[in-house]
């Protein structure tokens, strides 16, 4: 096989159970407040301690508000979950970056930016978008609560080995096309189940040219194609991004690490279970029109007509459009919107704020638009202010909120009201994902910014 996935996976195999799963060693476990409480409770009941507490990092992100974080969380369920994580981390001797801690943020933003996620690692978290960390050249995937308990207790997990897939995107992205657009394009081509059972390696000139932030966005959305995870082979761009960060190796250890990381690539003779090739020229800025991330189109296109949908999928297609208030064949350019959300583990990094600011600079937020601009971490927030982006945004009528998952999902105060349209840089547009009855249109930070200053779905290329 000789794929990078095989190299990393095989290096972490502890034992293979005959006719069963693989016992895999895990280098890093991240815990947030939503999926860890039952795992810690089970540990207590069994009188167990964490096997390698120094390999585990905890931080709340889903339930925390993005305003007044210095005050007590009002929602009792959210408050209980956040306080429970803090207590569990203390009881089990784990590092905890709590609310208002300058190290806090969305776990999938904090891990790479602190170099807690490194090439060649196996990384897990009780969250499907753990695939984000694959951008540094790691095998990273989401796990369930019982599996979180396994890793807490043994630093190992039982897993069936996924198949391998390589997706190559070649050529050069045109003006206004971002990593988010690439990911939305791939989902529309492969569908939300097209990569089920696979671990995806992203390759090709487009991926090589992406910044690390762009690669993090691309890998983040692997799960939305059904993949177990996705990753990019580490290269000089990866090493440059990681060098000097808090938990990156230092001195001689750095040189030794880089020498090893340079071996982390698929061989020229690597055989994948499945391969796809795509051309960058086929990708323009994109938006979704339905209720799964695969229901997307180029921003200048029209929603598919009913005759282009297979008979088996027509009922769900029409149900989805009915929920969204759209019609088959409709163009969405110029469609009025109500909310704009910039943030999430998909697009809450400094590069995303730079992109948003580049569009709104010298313009004003459209009347009636509610915009939530939420950094993915306090480190991103600090960088926004150091670069003066906060002033550009403030002059255009936008305010920056405090870090957290925010309007990505309806688990905190930032919910989109029923029937309202949200152009969102997050990762999912399921019914009710951003709040009961909310209508979510997934897009890049550039498309979100264009909507924020025009009040409608707008091709960002017209404002660039």
């Amino acid at each position: 096989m000789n794929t990078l996935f095989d190299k990393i996976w095989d290096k972490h195999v502890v034992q293979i159970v005959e006719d069963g799963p693989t016992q895999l060693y895990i280098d890093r476990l991240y815990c947030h407040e939503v999926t860890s409480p039952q795992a810690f409770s089970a540990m207590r009941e069994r009188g167990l301690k964490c096997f390698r507490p120094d390999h585990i990092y905890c931080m709340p992100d889903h339930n925390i508000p993005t305003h007044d974080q210095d005050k007590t969380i009002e929602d009792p369920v959210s408050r209980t979950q956040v306080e429970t994580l803090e207590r569990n981390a203390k009881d089990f001797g784990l590092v905890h970056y709590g609310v208002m801690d300058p190290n806090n943020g969305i776990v999938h933003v904090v891990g790479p930016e602190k170099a807690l996620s490194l090439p060649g690692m196996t990384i897990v978290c009780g969250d499907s978008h753990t695939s984000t960390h694959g951008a540094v050249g790691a095998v990273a995937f989401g796990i369930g609560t019982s599996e979180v308990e396994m890793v807490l207790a043994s630093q190992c997990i039982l897993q069936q080995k996924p198949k391998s897939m390589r997706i190559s995107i070649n050529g050069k992205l045109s003006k206004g096309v971002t990593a988010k657009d690439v990911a939305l394009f791939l989902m529309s081509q492969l569908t939300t189940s097209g990569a089920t059972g696979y671990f995806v390696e992203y390759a090709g000139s487009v991926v090589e040219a992406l910044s690390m932030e762009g690669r993090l966005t691309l890998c983040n959305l692997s799960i939305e194609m059904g993949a177990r995870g996705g990753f990019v082979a580490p290269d000089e761009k990866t090493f440059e991004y990681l060098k000097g960060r808090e938990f990156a190796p230092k001195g001689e250890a750095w040189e030794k690490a880089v020498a090893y990381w340079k071996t982390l690539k698929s061989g020229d003779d690597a055989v994948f279970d499945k391969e796809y090739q795509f051309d960058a020229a086929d990708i323009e800025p994109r938006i979704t029109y339905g209720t799964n991330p695969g229901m997307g189109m180029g921003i200048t296109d029209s929603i598919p007509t009913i005759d282009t949908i297979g008979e088996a999928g027509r009922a769900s297609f029409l149900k989805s459009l009915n929920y969204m208030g759209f019609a088959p064949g409709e163009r969405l350019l110029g469609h009025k919107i109500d909310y704009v959300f910039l943030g999430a583990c998909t697009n809450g990094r400094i590069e995303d704020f730079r992109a948003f600011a580049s569009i709104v600079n010298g313009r004003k937020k459209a009347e009636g638009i509610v915009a939530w601009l939420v950094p993915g971490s306090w480190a991103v927030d600090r960088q926004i202010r150091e670069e003066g982006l906060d002033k550009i945004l403030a002059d255009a009528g936008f305010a920056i909120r405090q870090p957290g998952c925010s309007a990505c999902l309806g688990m905190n105060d930032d919910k989109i009201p029923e029937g309202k349209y949200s152009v969102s840089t997050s990762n999912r547009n399921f019914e009710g994902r951003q709040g009961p009855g909310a209508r979510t249109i997934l897009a890049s930070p550039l498309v979100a910014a264009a909507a924020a200053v025009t009040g409608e779905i707008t091709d960002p290329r017209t404002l660039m």
Side-chain angles (χ1 to χ4, degrees):
M1 300 287 278
N2 202 22
T3 68
L4 173 53
F5 178 72
D6 291 318
K7 288 181 183 179
I8 298 174
W9 181 279
D10 294 349
K11 191 178 173 69
H12 288 80
V13 171
V14 178
Q15 66 172 331
I16 297 173
V17 179
E18 195 175 336
D19 298 322
T22 299
Q23 185 185 5
L24 195 70
Y25 179 77
I26 299 300
D27 293 303
R28 180 78 67 223
L29 168 65
Y30 295 112
C31 290
H32 59 60
E33 74 275 26
V34 179
T35 54
S36 65
Q38 298 90 336
F40 282 112
S41 294
M43 292 280 285
R44 276 196 189 86
E45 287 169 16
R46 296 166 64 187
L48 298 174
K49 293 181 178 178
C50 291
F51 181 60
R52 293 220 160 139
D54 56 325
H55 289 234
I56 303 166
Y57 285 76
C58 306
M59 61 202 86
D61 53 12
H62 281 55
N63 287 90
I64 62 178
T66 59
H67 58 87
D68 299 320
Q69 288 187 358
D70 55 327
K71 298 182 173 66
T72 302
I73 296 174
E74 289 182 11
D75 179 66
V77 174
S78 293
R79 185 172 66 248
T80 298
Q81 288 198 294
V82 170
E83 289 174 351
T84 300
L85 179 65
E86 182 177 11
R87 185 173 68 251
N88 284 330
K90 185 178 180 183
D91 290 353
F92 286 88
L94 307 177
V95 174
H96 175 255
Y97 298 142
V99 182
M100 290 299 291
D101 186 313
N103 296 295
N104 179 255
I106 304 172
V107 64
H108 307 314
V109 175
V110 173
E113 77 183 5
K114 296 181 86 65
L116 283 165
S117 301
L118 294 169
M121 277 187 166
T122 48
I123 300 170
V124 296
C125 173
D127 186 281
S128 57
H129 293 103
T130 306
S131 57
T132 311
H133 305 262
V136 302
V139 166
F141 52 94
I143 56 175
T145 297
S146 60
E147 295 168 313
V148 172
E149 183 193 347
M150 265 187 225
V151 183
L152 289 172
S154 68
Q155 209 59 36
C156 291
I157 194 171
L158 294 174
Q159 283 285 294
Q160 295 284 357
K161 185 178 181 180
K163 291 180 284 188
S164 61
M165 176 188 290
R166 180 162 59 189
I167 297 177
S168 300
I169 311 115
N170 287 297
K172 188 179 178 184
L173 296 179
S174 57
K175 173 180 158 182
V177 180
T178 70
K180 180 63 165 289
D181 301 302
V182 173
L184 290 172
F185 172 79
L186 293 177
M187 285 183 264
S188 72
Q189 298 298 302
L190 301 182
T191 77
T192 51
S193 59
T196 301
Y198 291 87
F199 225 93
V200 176
E201 177 174 345
Y202 296 103
S205 58
V206 166
V207 177
E208 290 165 12
L210 287 178
S211 66
M212 283 303 296
E213 282 92 346
R215 293 177 187 183
L216 287 158
T217 295
L218 181 60
C219 291
N220 173 273
L221 289 157
S222 304
I223 189 72
E224 307 307 339
M225 298 187 296
R228 198 74 185 88
F231 65 100
V232 177
D235 57 14
E236 292 300 328
K237 204 171 276 186
T238 318
F239 312 149
E240 187 182 329
Y241 173 84
L242 293 169
K243 191 172 186 179
R245 291 181 185 265
E246 186 176 350
F247 290 95
K250 305 291 189 293
E252 271 186 47
W254 171 259
E255 302 302 329
K256 189 177 175 183
V258 170
Y260 165 60
W261 295 341
K262 285 180 176 178
T263 69
L264 296 177
K265 53 188 173 186
S266 294
D268 295 335
D269 58 346
V271 178
F272 292 82
D273 295 299
K274 194 172 276 191
E275 288 217 48
Y276 289 100
Q277 301 268 352
F278 295 101
D279 188 342
D282 296 330
I283 310 173
E284 71 165 342
R286 296 184 69 83
I287 51 173
T288 59
Y289 57 83
T291 54
N292 74 57
M295 297 179 77
M297 64 185 188
I299 197 162
T300 61
D301 290 341
S302 301
I303 295 172
T305 52
I306 193 71
D307 57 294
T308 64
I309 306 297
E311 210 163 310
R314 286 182 184 177
S316 63
F317 172 74
L318 291 173
K319 177 177 181 288
S320 180
L321 291 190
N322 183 58
Y323 178 85
M324 291 298 293
F326 296 149
E330 184 180 353
R331 289 188 86 211
L332 295 184
L333 273 179
H335 192 285
K336 297 292 182 189
I337 57 112
D338 308 289
Y339 283 73
V340 168
F341 171 50
L342 173 67
C345 59
T346 316
N347 285 120
R349 298 175 186 83
I350 187 61
E351 189 176 274
D352 304 310
F353 278 80
R354 289 176 189 147
F356 192 97
S358 74
I359 293 284
V360 306
N361 192 8
R363 297 185 170 95
K364 292 289 182 186
K365 180 169 72 71
E367 193 176 340
I369 292 293
V370 177
W372 291 329
L373 277 50
V374 187
S377 70
W378 281 106
V380 173
D381 180 87
R382 289 190 291 274
Q383 202 167 350
I384 288 168
R385 295 172 199 285
E386 285 165 11
E387 295 184 12
L389 299 179
D390 58 324
K391 291 182 174 57
I392 292 172
L393 295 168
D395 288 346
F398 298 94
I400 298 167
R401 295 170 81 87
Q402 294 173 317
C405 289
S406 184
C408 176
L409 75 174
M411 291 184 76
N412 52 69
D413 298 343
D414 299 351
K415 294 182 180 70
I416 309 298
E418 183 176 358
K420 298 295 184 183
Y421 287 99
S422 160
V423 172
S424 175
T425 67
S426 52
N427 41 51
R428 286 180 174 160
N429 55 343
F430 306 154
E431 290 188 20
R433 170 75 176 181
Q434 291 194 289
R439 292 164 161 172
T440 303
I441 297 160
L442 299 179
S444 74
L446 292 176
V447 173
V453 294
T454 62
E456 59 191 37
I457 295 173
T458 302
D459 188 337
R461 294 171 294 189
T462 63
L463 303 181
M464 293 173 75

